[in-house]
Amino acid sequence: MSTTTERMTIRNEKKSFLARVAIAWLLTIASLLVLASSASAHSITWSTASFEDSALYRARLLQLRDSHETIDEISISPSGEWVIVSGSTVFTSIHFPAGPKNKIQQYIASGREIDAVAFAPNGAWVVVAEDYLWRSAGLPHSLLLKDKIRNRQNAGKRIDEIAFTGNGAGWVVTSGSWASSKSVPSDLYAAVVERHQGKRTIQRISIGTDGRWVVLADQWFASSGLSDGMVNGLKMFQRTERSLDHAVIGPGNGFVLYGGGVSPNLNHPMQKIEYDLGASGKNIYQRMEELNIPGISIAVIDNNKVVYSRGYGTLRGGTQKFVRASSPFAVGSTSKLMASMGIMSLVEDGELNLDDTLPEMGPTVVQWYTFGQQYPLSFGTVGPMPLGITLEQLLSHTASLNNSSIEYWPSNWPGSVSTLQTLLGHHCSSEGCSYGGGRAAWIDPANGAPGSTFDYSNKGYLVAQAAAQAATGQGFAQIMQDRILGPLGMTDSRYTQPLSLSYGQRVASRHNDAGNPIPRTVIPNYAAGGLYSSARDYAKAVILLNNDGQIPNGAQVLSPPSVDEIFTDRAPGGLKYGFGVELNTTALDTFTHGGAVIGGSSCMQGSATADEGIVILTNSNYTNARPLMTEIRRAFREAYGWPIAGDNPQWSC
């Protein structure tokens, strides 16, 4: 890796790619009438039985689609009357209110284009056309709404969308990257904030009178209460790379989705990552569907800053609880790098030394190897434990310890398990709690003498965890909070298990190979695999290492020598491995690691010479997630000009 006295600035010219021609497609959903034409610029998905003059409504939409006309506005009144505006043409249902219809026609006659027509649940309405605005009586917070719209108009900006809340108490207005709201539900507000976090532009917001809502920003959407049909339609637009020009929630379960083709800009690094995965050129939404992955979170680092932090899909399969930039996931073995950072902080302070041997690592470690040697039949700890094993060997997987791991299902969690118990192999099954069965941390003679080989070991990190706890008199979760998570501002991250109720509600559920939710296990081996973090949070740790242990405000969380220790290869043989990271020094110095727990997977990669990196978190089993994580990581490397040859990390990535 690079030294602390010199960090190269490698900036490969970003590759250019021609935008792909939009895919001609046929959209079919068994439970809905879905109409699409491969020769047409637009497609329609709808369920309009509850709309007034529904047959006429569908005919008008088809007419506009087939004539390739642009639709400026589609709006539905609370009782199902509708209006479609296309240029100077206005179509309405028979009982559409005269007030807004007349105002729409008046504005068009004055040479204005219609921007927005919106109804509140009580029937009050507003029409906006370029620099024109009309609002009826009865709108919530009417003067504030007028001021917000007028300010944008006076600044020469067009209004994109106006939507009123289902309870009639508030509204949201969007205009380009700008949005303003008043008295909207917290989850809807969070979705509006999320599009800002992900650097997405809101195209549409629609709110039903019953509180259902959807927010559309580029190809991403967040929603609440929508029918399965509408959600499936939205996902189909994502997978087929078609932009949604209009998404309208009507009475009952009625809805309309109307959109045109889109060619992703593959010169744009984030769209390159999202839409050009592997030789097939498939997009992230297609691959998530194919691999039964409900949710993904990605953070991209450039110039040692998080330039993109985006969520895809849902935290729990079968729900509309969307993944946010702040959503924590179980990161599995990607915990090891963070744990190494915490332990190196203790080394800096003289509370631990890398050459400490087992007898110097505190009473828990001494009790562990003493009990293990005295009662091998009880704990399955056959063979003498070499007491010369060092902390350095534990962190670099060269201590020749075994690699078993322990995860407790919630139904079998005994309520409290000590680090000593975990070291001795305590585990609960459906038959009850017991020791033995090869679960204890212990030397594995097949791995050779300590220091002679690299043998990946979760249990080595458990011993290091016990040493850190003994040195400080604190639990490992508190050590990490005080020394790493807190100083880095990783507010979405925890080593504490089991999770608290409030934090657990924010965390991504775990899923099996079929994409079905499964219980969240408890992992007492915190250092090896117990971290929960968001991609945005974990990226802060990558940036810290890229920047010689310094955070953006200039504070030195880790010393440069400690960073060098983490990046020093200690693995005998061909594999290069430091402390919690696999190293690649063939062309562009990079560090990589991944993680896998039951129902969750992760991957991260950084480069101190390029000041770039990526973090990928999923709520899917490793067998499903690894292909997609590999494809995303490769797309990232191509988008940012990293060498592809020789990049084949082994550990869960």
Side-chain angles (χ1 to χ4, degrees):
M1 290 300 297
S2 55
T3 67
T4 60
T5 58
E6 182 178 9
R7 298 289 192 196
M8 296 181 296
T9 303
I10 297 178
R11 290 290 181 268
N12 292 318
E13 184 178 352
K14 313 303 184 188
K15 297 180 180 180
S16 296
F17 296 88
L18 296 175
R20 287 172 290 170
V21 177
I23 300 172
W25 62 297
L26 179 64
L27 180 60
T28 56
I29 299 177
S31 61
L32 303 168
L33 175 59
V34 180
L35 295 159
S37 171
S38 61
S40 171
H42 291 84
S43 296
I44 314 168
T45 301
W46 62 44
S47 176
T48 58
S50 60
F51 292 15
E52 183 183 53
D53 301 333
S54 60
L56 177 61
Y57 185 75
R58 294 191 293 268
R60 294 303 191 195
L61 287 176
L62 287 172
Q63 173 187 340
L64 293 168
R65 185 202 69 177
D66 294 341
S67 60
H68 308 293
E69 298 290 339
T70 299
I71 294 178
D72 298 315
E73 180 66 4
I74 303 175
S75 187
I76 308 290
S77 76
S79 51
E81 297 90 7
W82 50 265
V83 61
I84 304 171
V85 181
S86 176
S88 60
T89 303
V90 181
F91 299 114
T92 68
S93 62
I94 188 170
H95 294 116
F96 186 78
K101 181 177 180 180
N102 292 338
K103 193 56 62 176
I104 291 168
Q105 292 173 331
Q106 176 188 338
Y107 287 172
I108 290 173
S110 71
R112 268 68 177 179
E113 292 181 352
I114 300 299
D115 292 329
V117 179
F119 289 88
N122 63 359
W125 52 271
V126 60
V127 177
V128 178
E130 298 186 38
D131 57 335
Y132 280 22
L133 163 66
W134 189 271
R135 57 203 167 90
S136 72
L139 293 176
H141 307 287
S142 183
L143 291 177
L144 180 61
L145 175 64
K146 182 195 76 169
D147 289 343
K148 293 293 184 181
I149 295 173
R150 284 297 189 202
N151 287 341
R152 292 298 289 178
Q153 291 175 328
N154 292 338
K157 306 297 183 180
R158 300 282 292 269
I159 298 300
D160 295 323
E161 189 69 282
I162 303 172
F164 294 93
T165 60
N167 60 10
W171 42 258
V172 59
V173 182
T174 67
S175 171
S177 60
W178 174 91
S180 180
S181 63
K182 180 67 176 178
S183 301
V184 300
S186 59
D187 54 350
L188 173 58
Y189 179 79
V192 175
V193 172
E194 185 65 25
R195 61 87 203 173
H196 177 73
Q197 296 280 0
K199 296 185 179 179
R200 296 175 167 115
T201 300
I202 291 179
Q203 279 81 35
R204 290 289 176 258
I205 297 178
S206 185
I207 307 174
T209 56
D210 57 358
R212 292 174 296 143
W213 59 263
V214 61
V215 175
L216 294 153
D218 299 329
Q219 296 297 102
W220 172 86
F221 76 90
S223 64
S224 177
L226 302 186
S227 66
D228 290 344
M230 188 172 184
V231 170
N232 290 338
L234 289 163
K235 289 181 177 179
M236 187 66 76
F237 271 84
Q238 286 180 325
R239 291 193 296 270
T240 52
E241 296 178 7
R242 301 189 75 87
S243 62
L244 266 169
D245 303 321
H246 299 280
V248 181
I249 297 174
N253 283 325
F255 70 89
V256 176
L257 304 177
Y258 186 90
V262 59
S263 295
N265 177 10
L266 300 187
N267 290 319
H268 186 284
M270 197 63 206
Q271 291 198 23
K272 170 72 177 172
I273 294 167
E274 293 170 330
Y275 291 99
D276 194 16
L277 297 177
S280 66
K282 292 183 177 180
N283 65 48
I284 193 169
Y285 302 107
Q286 290 171 314
R287 294 296 282 143
M288 288 173 67
E289 177 76 9
E290 292 171 354
L291 295 168
N292 293 326
I293 299 174
I296 292 181
S297 183
I298 299 175
V300 174
I301 301 161
D302 191 6
N303 195 27
N304 275 344
K305 296 179 181 177
V306 177
V307 290
Y308 294 102
S309 180
R310 291 185 170 182
Y312 307 83
T314 58
L315 294 175
R316 185 176 179 86
T319 73
Q320 293 174 49
K321 191 175 182 182
F322 62 94
V323 177
R324 305 179 186 180
S326 60
S327 296
F329 287 67
V331 307
S333 287
T334 314
S335 307
K336 291 182 175 68
L337 173 57
M338 296 291 297
S340 296
M341 293 163 63
I343 290 172
M344 286 308 304
S345 174
L346 296 176
V347 171
E348 286 183 17
D349 290 349
E351 298 188 65
L352 287 172
N353 294 290
L354 289 178
D355 58 0
D356 282 346
T357 59
L358 296 184
E360 299 171 295
M361 294 184 191
T364 297
V365 173
V366 172
Q367 288 176 320
W368 156 66
Y369 68 71
T370 300
F371 289 164
Q373 293 186 133
Q374 289 180 345
Y375 308 105
L377 297 181
S378 298
F379 301 118
T381 50
V382 178
M385 172 62 66
L387 301 185
I389 289 174
T390 65
L391 181 61
E392 178 181 14
Q393 292 170 340
L394 295 172
L395 296 178
S396 60
H397 300 295
T398 59
S400 295
L401 297 188
N402 57 4
N403 187 37
S404 61
S405 61
I406 293 175
E407 295 186 46
Y408 292 90
W409 293 103
S411 59
N412 292 329
W413 173 243
S416 177
V417 176
S418 69
T419 301
L420 176 60
Q421 287 176 300
T422 307
L423 282 166
L424 290 171
H426 180 277
H427 188 254
C428 287
S429 65
S430 57
E431 290 77 31
C433 300
S434 63
Y435 291 92
R439 294 187 297 265
W442 207 249
I443 190 74
D444 185 347
N447 293 340
S452 65
T453 59
F454 175 91
D455 292 287
Y456 194 84
S457 174
N458 286 304
K459 291 299 173 61
Y461 270 74
L462 180 60
V463 179
Q465 171 184 316
Q469 292 172 165
T472 61
Q474 294 179 305
F476 194 75
Q478 191 62 52
I479 294 171
M480 293 302 300
Q481 179 62 40
D482 292 346
R483 292 180 171 271
I484 303 297
L485 305 184
L488 265 63
M490 296 177 63
T491 56
D492 302 324
S493 304
R494 305 282 191 281
Y495 269 94
T496 305
Q497 293 196 36
L499 305 181
S500 68
L501 179 61
S502 59
Y503 182 73
Q505 290 174 341
R506 297 176 47 213
V507 171
S509 297
R510 303 197 203 169
H511 298 82
N512 60 20
D513 288 348
N516 298 320
I518 58 176
R520 186 181 295 135
T521 59
V522 178
I523 303 174
N525 191 342
Y526 305 109
L531 176 64
Y532 283 83
S533 185
S534 66
R536 180 180 64 186
D537 251 14
Y538 200 100
K540 296 174 182 178
V542 177
I543 292 170
L544 181 81
L545 295 176
N546 279 352
N547 201 35
D548 290 331
Q550 192 176 80
I551 57 179
N553 69 5
Q556 198 76 40
V557 176
L558 282 180
S559 69
S562 289
V563 174
D564 278 347
E565 290 285 4
I566 290 172
F567 287 156
T568 297
D569 175 26
R570 292 172 169 81
L575 179 72
K576 296 180 182 297
Y577 198 95
F579 290 164
V581 283
E582 187 174 346
L583 308 172
N584 186 331
T585 58
T586 55
L588 178 67
D589 290 346
T590 65
F591 54 95
T592 310
H593 213 283
V597 296
I598 298 173
S601 308
S602 68
C603 178
M604 73 83 193
Q605 190 162 37
S607 170
T609 56
D611 293 336
E612 294 169 344
I614 188 168
V615 180
I616 309 164
L617 309 179
T618 84
N619 57 2
S620 175
N621 251 354
Y622 169 61
T623 51
N624 292 33
R626 183 170 188 180
L628 181 53
M629 292 193 298
T630 299
E631 292 165 10
I632 291 171
R633 193 186 71 251
R634 184 181 181 89
F636 160 77
R637 292 173 69 89
E638 290 182 344
Y640 281 84
W642 288 24
I644 301 299
D647 178 56
N648 186 30
Q650 298 183 32
W651 301 110
S652 306
C653 219

